[in-house]
Amino acid sequence: FLMIRRPPRSTPLYSSAASDVYKRQTYGDRLLKATVREAVAMAEAPSHRKTLAQYAPGAAVLEDYEAAAKEIARRIGLKG
């Protein structure tokens, strides 16, 4: 499972933190340590018929997805 981080303006901090704790307790090791922040570019890219990397190549969210992909690769035994 992959957790999406929402900015504080959209979710009160206390409920976000409580939600994260709940998810970690519920899913344990099945929840990736890597998280992906929410970004406007993720919603905009498909409407421009582009991948996120094409639409916003410098977006910090790409680093989040890369970290998640590397963690998944390690978990399934791929070298990376």
Side-chain angles (χ1 to χ4, degrees):
F1 296 96
L2 179 63
M3 190 165 16
I4 304 294
R5 287 184 283 157
R6 300 200 185 283
R9 68 181 180 278
S10 68
T11 306
L13 183 59
Y14 65 88
S15 66
S16 177
S19 176
D20 290 356
V21 169
Y22 172 77
K23 289 174 188 171
R24 296 245 176 245
Q25 289 175 343
T26 302
Y27 299 110
D29 290 339
R30 293 177 292 169
L31 187 64
L32 297 178
K33 287 183 175 65
T35 59
V36 175
R37 69 193 93 200
E38 188 175 289
V40 173
M42 291 169 50
E44 293 175 344
S47 66
H48 292 271
R49 294 181 163 235
K50 293 184 177 185
T51 65
L52 182 58
Q54 292 167 330
Y55 180 72
V61 69
L62 289 173
E63 294 174 10
D64 297 343
Y65 277 112
E66 182 178 356
K70 286 181 179 180
E71 185 176 344
I72 291 167
R74 279 192 305 274
R75 286 184 180 206
I76 63 172
L78 298 177
K79 294 181 181 180

